[in-house]
Every structure is written in structure tokens, then in C-alpha cells.
Amino acid sequence: MSKLVQGYEVVIGFETHAQLSTKSKIFSRASVAFGAEPNTQACAVDMALPGTLPVMNVGAVERAIEFGLAINAHIAERSIFARKNYFYPDLPKGYQISQFEIPVVQGGEVSFFLEVGKETVRKTVRLERAHLEEDAGKSLHEDFIGQSGIDLNRAGTPLLEIVTQPDMRSSEEAVAYAKELHKIVTWIGICDGNMQEGSFRCDANVSVRKPGGPLGTRREIKNLNSFKFMQQAIDYEVRWQIDQIEDGHTIQQATVLFDPDTGETRAMRTKEDAADYRYFPDPDLPPLVIGRDWVERVKSEMAELPRVMAERFVRDYALPEYDATQLTQSKAVAAYFEATAKACGQAKLASNWIMGEVSRRLNASEMAIEQAPVSAAQLAALIGRISDNTISNNAARQVFEGLWNGEGEVDAIIEAKGLKQMNDTGELEKIIDDVLAANPKNVEEFKAGNAKALNGLVGPIMKASKGKANPGQVNALLMQKLG
Ligand code: ADP
Ligand code: MG
């Protein structure tokens, strides 16, 4: 499956920081609400005042368990918090509380569909781990009387760092993985997924190698806060690394930043190794113990997962796997589909309409499906009128347009626009006879074996019927008349 770039294989692994949707911080009771005045949401623990002690937020642990269950991972019965030591102005403790040797979530996988040429292939990315940690504060460089400022509101915000194996082989795969992961965390509700606000931050580790060779040295691209930038940044980085190697240079492990203005990646710092952080177990926090009964309870309370729902769509509605995956992009889309399919009894048609016309219209107006002016019941009614032959597919698109623009209900729009299909054989036969009489050349050519000559007849017939003739019926009648 791997696509070579100038004879090189691309290798990508992801580290994603998902901000957990708790009300308070991971080790303190301060609020994590976004957008507050600087330093109004930093308590003594977050400011690292001497004598303060961290207390584990159970809600953060529960969200980590939910994530582990969603990706079929092992939830450690006993995991350890560690101090990751480094100095930075936005980290007053001088260390970040994280997990190192024994993370709470171990293994697991994320799989998704990918379009390669005309084919749809399934790709599975193995996860290495997901661990709980606290976020740091923020340095503000907007000049406070010639100085930088520190905002500690973000300090102690709960994060789940999700680390993959180096399993991705192209920027397309990487973006598809990130989108799938985003779907999972928002679906199960452990993260709001807001990339602009930094709730879902992806770092891409990128290297290239000759196929079959050992892994190349990676560079880590930091903070890719949109799927579009993610792809651009990786593509640029891959070309840059190949150019370096082709020019006889070796790649140095480094952390780089993507600049959306220039479309380039730029070295930020040489990469630290684990040893640089002098990790050791945090003596202020006991091991995190998760009983199996807790895991079972969380499991029993979790909503149906996207991949489970997709499997059910394949089973219950006889949908192709591809459709089922598309329709489980979000809970709202899935609910819209199920409501439509149940109301009209035509699941595949409902799927076609939702993935086609509905999503085209939503995209064009940058709307989410919750805001769609056409309800599932209306779409079902429209599909009903196609399958009972009242209107053609073409006419249905006009009715849909009318529904979207609030021109009324399905039958009223069909009536008002005069879109009813001509189902009266007598009337249609007369039109066909007229067209046949007026186009003797096409008739002859068709009879002589040129199947294409039929198009020259169908066109004028549809035109004469003002588009109201049923194409299937027209074909059947033509065949009958032409022998
Ligand atoms: P660190 O924590 O120092 O960044 P890790 O070993 O945890 O290092 O790896 C981080 C990420 O880098 C993982 O997602 C892993 O899959 C990926 N990775 C490791 N080696 C490579 C490589 N040679 N090329 C691309 N990605 C890699
Ligand atoms: Mg890392």
C-alpha cells in the first residue's frame, strides 16, 4: 500500500494531545473554561506554590478509560505518574506531571477507510500508548511594557497524549488517521475537538527511507492545528528530507514548526531525548489503580461507538461498508440517516442522498447537518416519491432545492413546479410515435445495429415530455416499438 516519493518510503507516527473535557484541572479544582482573563483560573496548585499537593481528578481518569475502550486497548490496572523535568517560564514547578514507564492506556488501534485511486482500502494504525498528563501555562509575547507575560490558566489542564506506532506511509494516511482519531474522541465526548482553541493538537513525526531499509531519522512537526496544514506540512517536510539526503546530507533529529504563511517547516530546536527529562515517579501521587469493575461500569455506560454503529448499518440496512463509514462521521449525521432510512424504508437511497445532495448543500453553505433546512422526514418523503415513480431523479433534485429553500412540503413543491412524471402510457406513446416519425435516420441506424442512435431519440422524447417522462418507461416503450 505504500506509495513511494522519488523512490523513498515515507514513515509517519503521530503524537496527539487531546484536551479532556473535564470541568476542572487534572490535579486541582480550578476551572478549565476557555477564554478567561489571564491568571484568573490558576490556583495555588497550578502556580506551584510550596506546600501544595496534586489530587487526581477522577473525571480525567474515566475519560482515559473511555478512550482505551473505544480503541480496544489494554487499560492498565496500575499506572504511574512521573515528573518530566525541564525549565520553561510557563512551567513554574520545573516539571510536568506525566506518565512515562507505565501509561494508563496501552496498545489499541485506529482503523479507517482511505481512497487510493478508485479503490477504498482499510488502513489500521496501531497505537503505542495513551497517557494522562497536565498542560503547561502560556507565554504571552505581546509586549507588556517591554516584557513577556505568563498566563497560567492553562497550567494543569488535563491532556491525554495519544501516541501511534510509526505505521503511516503517506500524508493522506496521516490526515485520515488524524480525522478518525478526532471523530473518536469527539464521538465519545472526552474532548471537544476544537483545533483552533488547541483542544486537539497533533505532532507528526516524519522520516523517509529506502524501501525495506531501517527507519530513517525523524523530525517532529509541532502543533498542526488544521487538517489542511497537516497535509501541507508533511508533504513539504518529506520533500525537504529527500532533497537533503539526495544532496548527501544526513537528517538530524529535530523539532520543527510549520509556517502556514510560507508553507515551510523550520527547525525550532534539536530534539531532546527521554534522558534529558530525568523522568522519575512523582512521589506526591500514588500509583493510579483502576479496578476491573470500574472499567466494566464505564464500558456499560458508553454509547455505541462509530465503528460498532457502522457495522450495524452494514448488517441492518445492507449498506456497503464505505457508506456505513461515511454516515458515521458524526452522531448527528448517523441520526439523520437512521431517521430517513426508517421513515422511507430505502436505506441505500437515503445514504446516496445524504452523502450526495445533502452533504454537497451543507458544504456549500458551511453548515452542520443539525442546521440543515431539510428534515429527515422531508428527505424520506422525497425518496418515497422517487420510488413510487411520481417524480424522476432529475425532478427530485429540483424538489430538494425547493425543500432547502423553504418552499413547502414535497407534494406541494411537485405540484407547484409541475414535476409529476408522465405515467400515462397513452400520452407518452403519442410523443414517442411523433419523435420516431420525425427522426427516421436514427430509427434506421438503430435497427442496423448502432445502439448509440437510441440517444438521439431519447433526448427529443424527454424534451417533448418536458422532462416528465419516466426514463425507464421510455426505454421500455422504445424497445417495444423498435423491435
Ligand atoms: P518521543 O516521545 O521522544 O517523541 P517516541 O519514541 O515516543 O519519542 O516516538 C514518538 C513518535 O514518533 C511515535 O508516534 C512514533 O511512532 C514515531 N516515530 C518513532 N520513530 C520514527 C521514525 N523513524 N519515523 C517516523 N516516526 C517515528
Ligand atoms: Mg514525544
Side-chain angles (χ1 to χ4, degrees):
M1 213 193 308
S2 93
K3 172 190 92 172
L4 297 189
V5 183
Q6 293 168 246
Y8 286 84
E9 184 180 45
V10 176
V11 175
I12 305 165
F14 259 61
E15 291 164 283
T16 303
H17 288 89
Q19 182 178 323
L20 297 174
S21 56
T22 54
K23 287 211 166 60
S24 57
K25 295 191 175 173
I26 186 167
F27 301 119
S28 84
R29 295 166 73 167
S31 165
V32 294
F34 182 82
E37 282 291 301
N39 298 311
T40 55
Q41 293 180 163
C43 69
V45 174
D46 309 322
M47 290 186 286
L49 295 189
T52 56
L53 285 171
V55 177
M56 187 74 229
N57 178 339
V58 171
V61 179
E62 189 142 324
R63 282 164 181 78
I65 298 174
E66 286 177 318
F67 178 73
L69 290 170
I71 58 151
N72 273 334
H74 172 64
I75 317 283
E77 292 195 36
R78 188 174 169 282
S79 62
I80 307 275
F81 284 97
R83 291 186 179 179
K84 180 178 181 178
N85 299 279
Y86 67 95
F87 175 76
Y88 207 72
D90 63 18
L91 188 75
K93 283 200 301 291
Y95 59 86
Q96 175 193 26
I97 304 178
S98 182
Q99 295 193 301
F100 182 56
E101 275 170 341
I102 310 178
V104 59
V105 173
Q106 305 172 1
E109 59 185 39
V110 169
S111 70
F112 46 88
F113 284 100
L114 202 68
E115 284 178 75
V116 180
K118 283 208 175 90
E119 270 184 90
T120 308
V121 291
R122 191 185 195 96
K123 166 86 188 175
T124 298
V125 171
R126 292 165 303 158
L127 292 196
E128 190 177 302
R129 60 191 277 156
H131 61 256
L132 285 163
E133 63 182 25
E134 59 178 349
D135 208 344
K138 254 185 199 161
S139 298
L140 306 173
H141 300 297
E142 51 242 46
D143 192 8
F144 299 92
I145 336 168
Q147 298 176 329
S148 286
I150 302 289
D151 176 8
L152 290 176
N153 281 353
R154 206 179 61 180
T157 297
L159 300 176
L160 190 65
E161 179 174 337
I162 303 159
V163 185
T164 75
Q165 304 265 1
D167 277 356
M168 289 156 275
R169 293 291 175 270
S170 66
S171 58
E172 290 82 7
E173 281 185 14
V175 172
Y177 160 77
K179 286 185 174 168
E180 184 67 25
L181 184 67
H182 187 268
K183 176 169 98 181
I184 293 170
V185 297
T186 51
W187 185 290
I188 63 178
I190 63 165
C191 170
D192 69 21
N194 190 325
M195 294 174 84
Q196 254 76 55
E197 290 176 7
S199 303
F200 185 85
R201 313 196 286 264
C202 291
D203 305 337
N205 291 269
V206 179
S207 67
V208 299
R209 66 171 171 189
K210 287 289 183 187
L215 282 180
T217 303
R218 72 194 148 109
R219 302 214 309 164
E220 178 175 353
I221 316 172
K222 279 278 174 204
N223 286 347
L224 298 165
N225 66 1
S226 84
F227 296 120
K228 189 173 134 218
F229 292 160
M230 205 174 277
Q231 175 126 23
Q232 283 177 7
I234 295 169
D235 286 340
Y236 176 86
E237 178 64 23
V238 166
R239 280 194 307 273
W240 185 88
Q241 290 189 16
I242 293 174
D243 285 349
Q244 291 291 305
I245 295 170
E246 290 289 309
D247 286 349
H249 305 297
T250 49
I251 305 294
Q252 300 298 318
Q253 189 163 315
T255 301
V256 305
L257 267 186
F258 175 67
D259 180 349
D261 294 331
T262 61
E264 297 177 358
T265 51
R266 222 180 26 241
M268 194 162 89
R269 55 174 189 252
T270 57
K271 170 86 189 156
E272 305 79 359
D273 278 320
D276 298 328
Y277 290 121
R278 294 170 290 120
Y279 280 102
F280 63 89
D282 191 318
D284 286 345
L285 283 158
L288 174 60
V289 175
I290 300 175
R292 295 304 93 174
D293 49 336
W294 190 4
V295 176
E296 284 311 313
R297 184 176 58 70
V298 172
K299 192 187 242 168
S300 71
E301 288 167 2
M302 268 173 82
E304 190 178 27
L305 292 167
R307 71 183 144 76
V308 176
M309 189 182 272
E311 282 161 19
R312 179 167 63 78
F313 282 5
V314 170
R315 214 171 44 237
D316 293 0
Y317 298 106
L319 287 185
E321 224 175 339
Y322 177 78
D323 292 43
T325 310
Q326 292 294 312
L327 294 168
T328 48
Q329 281 314 310
S330 75
K331 275 186 182 156
V333 172
Y336 190 92
F337 161 74
E338 281 214 274
T340 309
K342 281 193 179 130
C344 72
Q346 308 259 8
K348 181 58 182 147
L349 277 182
S351 164
N352 292 349
W353 272 86
I354 294 166
M355 297 194 316
E357 219 54 24
V358 176
S359 70
R360 221 184 338 272
R361 266 318 221 126
L362 290 173
N363 286 343
S365 35
E366 295 186 2
M367 275 183 189
I369 199 152
E370 292 93 321
Q371 304 161 290
V374 179
S375 70
Q378 288 174 315
L379 181 61
L382 176 60
I383 292 170
R385 287 292 172 252
I386 304 169
S387 39
D388 71 7
N389 279 325
T390 304
I391 51 173
S392 67
N393 273 317
N394 238 335
R397 275 192 284 276
Q398 295 179 53
V399 178
F400 181 79
E401 203 56 31
L403 286 172
W404 192 278
N405 296 328
E407 291 167 21
E409 293 303 321
V410 172
D411 287 339
I413 296 172
I414 294 174
E415 201 60 47
K417 298 198 183 210
L419 293 171
K420 240 197 195 108
Q421 206 155 225
M422 192 180 283
N423 284 318
D424 172 354
T425 325
E427 201 180 337
L428 183 56
E429 272 193 85
K430 183 165 177 318
I431 293 178
I432 293 180
D433 289 339
D434 289 348
V435 170
L436 291 184
N439 296 279
K441 211 167 139 241
N442 284 67
V443 174
E444 227 161 84
E445 281 178 19
F446 179 75
K447 285 189 172 160
N450 178 3
K452 276 192 188 146
L454 204 60
N455 296 338
L457 297 167
V458 174
I461 293 168
M462 293 307 290
K463 197 166 168 206
S465 75
K466 302 200 176 70
K468 290 184 211 168
N470 175 338
Q473 204 176 12
V474 169
N475 251 321
L477 282 171
L478 265 178
M479 288 308 181
Q480 205 180 320
K481 285 177 190 292
L482 297 172

